[in-house]
Amino acid sequence: MARSRSSTTRLLYTLRSSIYPSSRSPAPPSPITALLHLQRHYSAAPSLREKDDKEPWWKESMDKVRNIGISAHIDSGKTTLTERVLFYTGRIHEIHEVRGKDGVGAKMDSMELEREKGITIQSAATYCTWKDYQINIIDTPGHVDFTIEVERALRVLDGAILVFCSVGGVQSQSITVDRQMKRYEVPRVAFINKLDRMGADPWKVLNQARKKLRHHSAAVQIPIGLEEDFQGLVDLVQLKAYYFRGSSGEKVETEEIPADMLAMATEKRRELIESVSDVDDQLAELFLSDEPISSADLEAAIRRATIARKFIPVFMGSAFKNKGVQPLLDGVLCYLPNPLEVDNFALDQSNKEEKVKLSGTPAGRMVALAFKLEERQFGQLTYLRIYEGILRKGDFITNINTGKKIKVSKLGRMHSDSMEDIQEAHAGQIVAVFGLDCASGDTFTDGSVKYTMTSMSVPEPVVSLAVSPVSKDSGKQFSKALNRFQREDPTFRVGLDPESGQTIISGMGELHLEVYVERIKREYKVDATVGKPRVNFRETITQRAEFDYLHKKQSGGQGQYGRVCGYMEPLPAGSETKFEFDNMMIGQAIPSSFISHIEKGFREAANSGSLIGFPVENIRVVLTDGASHAVDSSELAFRLASIYAFRQCYSKCKPVILEPVMMVELKVPTEFQGTVAGDLNRRKGIIVGNDQEGDDSVVNALVPLNNMFGYSTSLRSMTQGKGEFTMEYKEHAAVSSDVQTQLINAHKPKTTE
């Protein structure tokens, strides 16, 4: 005992002398004195260790990361803007246009098909450096057929740039993209592009954003001249004028505000301060007390309000004419959040999917989400967003969705379609990994936690096509292509038509499926024959009806016996589920082990309605009674009884056919408005809105998808090629009785053959 006490004393004495080497005390201190010295050393003395606690090694590195997306309506100039960003940040050394005469195409449109059509199909991911900040950019498609790509990109972003065309203004896809950004709570800045075009009016666009998108926004810049006279910008925060000189606008020259613009700049700055004061208390105090508001105060207030998603600063420029891109990049650094300023939640699978807030720091456990897959020459390339922890090359990570453990053999940063090898990446970064076998939306961790990131909402496909390879030898490549596209894109579905045995592909629109058929041809060298597009109808019931069905079969040996009684009724409008089964039986007329097979039978029968063979939706089946036999009742007997009961009762419920109705937005010169409106009426469309934009009429209409095939050709011929339209799925609605009769008659010959 004495020996152990003296050894403790010696240890404490050694510690004390290492802390206070100047102390020349000959006698060892008592243990308590030494402990007090130790405590004082770690609590009171301002040590390096404490300083490290305040500022961890990753703090500065994460402050300088921005994950942003560029989203907008088709043809607003997103890809052109990204191309300029890459040029000014030194990632590329020459500029190519989207539909350039040099035939190279924009860097971010890496797929041959994208360069040809001049639209962005996949969200290419790239990173660049601006003023020591690392910016990860996802260039997202603006065409509504590729909505899932936009959603998937927004899922992993911390901030976004919403691009508007200064002539087109807020268009239908701008509204869709903005709605998606709100759903994923993405802070954003707006950029009004194409100020060099004839008819450019940024103030009209700003008012449209406030009215149509309910944006609380104000301009942080005003243009010096418009259309052909567009020369530069006035920064309302710093009160400086910027001019863009040099062959590609790479030299930004800062000058004083032109004298003739001072009054307008003062007025617009006051408007900006008022808008931000409405949502930021600190700035409101300064504003109300009439104190001068410095540039730093205003900048800090805009940053706070933007990150809190209460305000959207509006930038201006012309990407094509190389004006306004560098100040927009400064705005991304100043106003959009770094990964630490955004709250991300995971679902704990080991605790009934309880929501868990992730720290978002490299100090935590590794959690990453696979948000995009690409098939490359050497295998599958997976894009990961790391939410927490560090991912190193050679690490073993676990796919929580499948439970598989996988080694990270190759880790890299993506620049559109070229990859740069790296050794490790930490929370907040977007990386690409080779050789991960997973599906889009899978979550990976280091194995210590069972977290999954929340699933993305995937819209139902609305158009189907029958496809088959021309030669039978290419069947293997054909199925390989379809399997890969399904893994890459959750909105792309593949099925078999039970009647004809044909392969049916389904997607979000004609262009969506057209692109996939084209990709099968180009990437897998398989020629495919394509049938006529087929609309995905649905069936539903309109009134309640009773069923009482006895299935009885005796064929020597054990027979089949099952009786089910109950009723079917339509679900109330707005129900979350499309099919409900309720067991309201009292007593044990049917053993409980058969109930699940009765439900299975009804669900199976609901997959194909008796009108035109499409799935039945919004239906509730209630089981109230039944009967069973001690020997002859079986799972099969009750499943068959349910199927026949459904068919017997279905016609009594007055079923109707539902068809997909699309929200169509048309922009046509005013002189063609009457012709276009008449054509929409012929297509059984309902016009719900009509606005005037300069010389153009903007018509919004609800039109059945079945009547919209080939519309782009007829619109071009009606408007001499000047009209344009976009459409997106709105809802399934009941068809008129004459259309229902037509559809049923068209379905009958197939079934009687």
Side-chain angles (χ1 to χ4, degrees):
M1 178 77 187
R3 192 186 303 151
S4 66
R5 185 173 171 188
S6 63
S7 59
T8 310
T9 309
R10 270 201 303 277
L11 171 67
L12 290 167
Y13 178 67
T14 313
L15 283 167
R16 181 183 180 280
S17 29
S18 66
I19 296 163
Y20 300 112
S22 60
S23 168
R24 303 205 186 277
S25 171
S30 71
I32 292 166
T33 315
L35 277 171
L36 285 169
H37 278 308
L38 270 174
Q39 192 180 354
R40 221 171 285 139
H41 169 67
Y42 278 100
S43 58
S47 67
L48 283 168
R49 187 179 160 280
E50 190 174 295
K51 195 177 171 189
D52 286 350
D53 281 350
K54 283 183 184 170
E55 283 289 320
W57 62 269
W58 39 261
K59 182 82 171 72
E60 190 180 346
S61 139
M62 287 194 72
D63 281 346
K64 294 197 168 184
V65 174
R66 297 287 183 276
N67 292 317
I68 63 162
I70 300 180
S71 297
H73 187 87
I74 189 166
D75 265 358
S76 294
K78 290 184 309 298
T79 303
T80 308
L81 174 62
T82 311
E83 196 76 359
R84 298 304 184 271
V85 167
L86 297 180
F87 176 72
Y88 295 132
T89 56
R91 294 294 292 151
I92 56 174
H93 303 295
E94 55 183 325
I95 292 172
H96 298 288
E97 301 313 329
V98 172
R99 286 195 182 95
K101 290 174 186 164
D102 58 6
V104 178
K107 176 71 184 171
M108 295 296 279
D109 285 349
S110 60
M111 212 191 285
E112 194 184 330
L113 199 61
E114 292 180 340
R115 293 181 181 183
E116 197 176 282
K117 289 189 182 271
I119 58 173
T120 311
I121 295 167
Q122 290 179 305
S123 311
T126 191
Y127 83 101
C128 55
T129 309
W130 180 252
K131 297 184 177 176
D132 290 337
Y133 281 73
Q134 184 190 317
I135 303 175
N136 291 310
I137 303 171
I138 307 270
D139 179 34
T140 54
H143 201 286
V144 72
D145 283 349
F146 309 110
T147 301
I148 192 67
E149 284 282 348
V150 184
E151 293 227 350
R152 214 186 281 157
L154 292 181
R155 179 75 189 78
V156 297
L157 297 179
D158 301 324
I161 301 171
L162 192 55
V163 185
F164 297 117
C165 170
S166 65
V167 182
V170 175
Q171 293 156 291
S172 61
Q173 185 67 7
S174 316
I175 297 168
T176 306
V177 168
D178 190 66
R179 197 183 307 127
Q180 289 165 337
M181 287 189 185
K182 279 177 184 156
R183 181 187 300 157
Y184 290 114
E185 300 183 340
V186 179
R188 50 212 181 276
V189 300
F191 180 68
I192 299 176
N193 196 12
K194 303 191 180 184
L195 290 185
D196 59 304
R197 272 185 60 186
M198 188 75 103
D201 185 353
W203 308 112
K204 176 197 80 175
V205 180
L206 184 57
N207 288 328
Q208 278 184 350
R210 287 169 178 165
K211 202 164 80 179
K212 287 188 180 179
L213 305 177
R214 304 269 187 273
H215 276 184
H216 186 74
S217 57
V220 289
Q221 296 171 338
I222 54 173
I224 302 171
L226 280 173
E227 299 175 6
E228 292 168 5
D229 306 324
F230 178 47
Q231 295 164 23
L233 297 161
V234 172
D235 186 331
L236 298 176
V237 178
Q238 305 296 342
L239 287 173
K240 294 282 178 196
Y242 298 135
Y243 295 92
F244 305 90
R245 309 264 156 77
S247 58
S248 303
E250 66 275 9
K251 291 178 190 156
V252 183
E253 293 182 4
T254 308
E255 295 177 16
E256 291 304 313
I257 298 172
D260 59 334
M261 292 196 69
L262 271 171
M264 187 186 183
T266 311
E267 182 203 327
K268 292 291 179 189
R269 189 175 199 260
R270 186 174 175 81
E271 192 182 302
L272 170 66
I273 292 169
E274 281 179 16
S275 295
V276 182
S277 299
D278 287 345
V279 290
D280 186 78
D281 294 343
Q282 291 181 38
L283 192 73
E285 277 179 36
L286 293 173
F287 179 64
L288 292 171
S289 55
D290 274 344
E291 287 182 30
I293 292 170
S294 68
S295 300
D297 288 337
L298 183 53
E299 195 175 284
I302 295 173
R303 179 175 175 79
R304 284 192 300 270
T306 306
I307 291 173
R309 301 188 310 283
K310 292 176 179 174
F311 179 74
I312 296 173
V314 179
F315 292 81
M316 299 184 187
S318 166
F320 185 65
K321 294 286 183 191
N322 309 314
K323 291 182 172 75
V325 178
Q326 297 95 322
L328 174 66
L329 278 169
D330 292 339
V332 165
L333 308 186
C334 288
Y335 305 133
L336 289 180
N338 65 48
L340 291 170
E341 292 170 312
V342 178
D343 289 342
N344 288 305
F345 293 92
L347 299 176
D348 189 352
Q349 297 301 320
S350 55
N351 190 14
K352 295 181 184 172
E353 291 211 343
E354 194 186 330
K355 240 184 173 189
V356 180
K357 186 178 172 183
L358 297 176
S359 67
T361 67
R365 298 161 171 142
M366 206 288 291
V367 179
L369 174 75
F371 68 94
K372 191 168 188 316
L373 311 177
E374 267 179 36
E375 200 71 32
R376 289 291 171 101
Q377 197 179 348
F378 306 108
Q380 182 176 294
L381 182 71
T382 308
Y383 287 87
L384 290 180
R385 157 76 200 257
I386 306 171
Y387 283 98
E388 195 170 278
I390 299 174
L391 180 64
R392 294 182 183 87
K393 189 176 171 179
D395 277 1
F396 280 91
I397 56 175
T398 306
N399 183 336
I400 297 300
N401 300 61
T402 62
K404 284 183 186 169
K405 224 176 183 188
I406 306 155
K407 186 179 180 180
V408 179
S409 52
K410 193 174 181 188
L411 192 64
R413 273 204 200 105
M414 287 311 294
H415 177 49
S416 192
D417 62 342
S418 46
M419 183 161 160
E420 215 169 284
D421 280 355
I422 54 172
Q423 292 304 308
E424 67 171 40
H426 60 66
Q429 292 183 328
I430 291 172
V431 292
V433 184
F434 258 118
L436 286 191
D437 182 27
C438 66
S440 173
D442 283 359
T443 305
F444 291 90
T445 72
D446 56 8
S448 60
V449 286
K450 286 191 82 174
Y451 290 168
T452 58
M453 302 309 292
T454 44
S455 60
M456 296 176 288
S457 58
V458 177
E460 283 290 310
V462 290
V463 180
S464 298
L465 277 180
V467 286
S468 56
V470 174
S471 76
K472 288 185 177 174
D473 303 339
S474 51
K476 192 178 175 186
Q477 283 291 86
F478 181 69
S479 57
K480 194 175 168 186
L482 294 182
N483 284 339
R484 172 194 153 188
F485 296 150
Q486 266 185 292
R487 276 218 309 270
E488 273 184 24
D489 183 353
T491 56
F492 179 76
R493 313 274 171 90
V494 179
L496 272 178
D497 186 336
E499 290 163 17
S500 62
Q502 285 178 303
T503 304
I504 306 287
I505 58 171
S506 308
M508 298 311 294
E510 270 182 291
L511 180 63
H512 189 200
L513 297 180
E514 198 183 294
V515 164
Y516 277 119
V517 171
E518 194 71 24
R519 282 182 68 189
I520 291 171
K521 199 189 243 172
R522 292 190 184 211
E523 294 172 35
Y524 288 88
K525 309 286 183 285
V526 176
D527 278 326
T529 50
V530 181
K532 184 183 174 290
R534 192 185 76 170
V535 175
N536 288 346
F537 291 102
R538 293 285 180 266
E539 296 182 24
T540 192
I541 56 173
T542 54
Q543 67 178 41
R544 175 177 157 155
E546 311 276 334
F547 61 82
D548 182 350
Y549 188 84
L550 170 64
H551 174 66
K552 196 172 174 185
K553 198 174 181 186
Q554 201 67 46
S555 56
Q558 188 185 349
Q560 291 179 12
Y561 184 96
R563 182 183 173 202
V564 287
C565 309
Y567 59 88
M568 290 186 345
E569 63 180 3
L571 281 168
S575 295
E576 285 183 16
T577 54
K578 292 175 181 176
F579 178 94
E580 262 184 37
F581 176 82
D582 283 338
N583 175 19
M584 290 199 171
M585 201 169 55
I586 296 163
Q588 285 286 314
I590 300 173
S592 54
S593 58
F594 294 137
I595 301 295
S596 62
H597 296 278
I598 293 172
E599 182 180 350
K600 206 180 274 180
F602 278 113
R603 280 188 187 274
E604 196 178 310
N607 281 335
S608 173
S610 57
L611 294 180
I612 54 170
F614 278 90
V616 182
E617 283 187 354
N618 301 334
I619 184 167
R620 180 169 179 249
V621 179
V622 179
L623 183 70
T624 54
D625 202 0
S628 62
H629 188 278
V631 177
D632 290 352
S633 285
S634 64
E635 294 167 357
L636 176 67
F638 275 108
R639 197 159 66 86
L640 290 172
S642 309
I643 291 170
Y644 294 133
F646 183 92
R647 288 177 188 166
Q648 179 201 58
C649 181
Y650 188 61
S651 53
K652 295 185 217 162
C653 294
K654 295 213 172 151
V656 292
I657 298 169
L658 303 175
E659 64 180 344
V661 174
M662 311 301 277
M663 171 59 87
V664 181
E665 185 184 89
L666 294 126
K667 196 170 187 181
V668 294
T670 308
E671 66 262 31
F672 303 113
Q673 189 184 349
T675 320
V676 169
D679 181 67
L680 284 175
N681 286 331
R682 265 199 309 283
R683 291 172 188 271
K684 302 206 166 123
I686 301 164
I687 294 171
V688 290
N690 198 336
D691 283 332
Q692 201 67 25
E693 270 186 22
D695 297 334
D696 290 339
S697 284
V698 178
V699 180
N700 289 299
L702 296 170
V703 192
L705 176 63
N706 205 26
N707 303 337
M708 285 299 288
F709 290 121
Y711 185 64
S712 52
T713 315
S714 54
L715 180 67
R716 275 199 290 271
S717 61
M718 278 187 290
T719 60
Q720 298 168 9
K722 294 174 188 167
E724 57 179 55
F725 83 102
T726 54
M727 66 175 184
E728 57 181 291
Y729 169 73
K730 180 85 167 67
E731 62 187 357
H732 268 80
V735 301
S736 57
S737 55
D738 57 324
V739 174
Q740 181 151 325
T741 311
Q742 270 175 26
L743 289 168
I744 293 170
N745 291 339
H747 179 68
K748 269 179 190 168
K750 290 183 194 172
T751 53
T752 52
E753 273 172 18

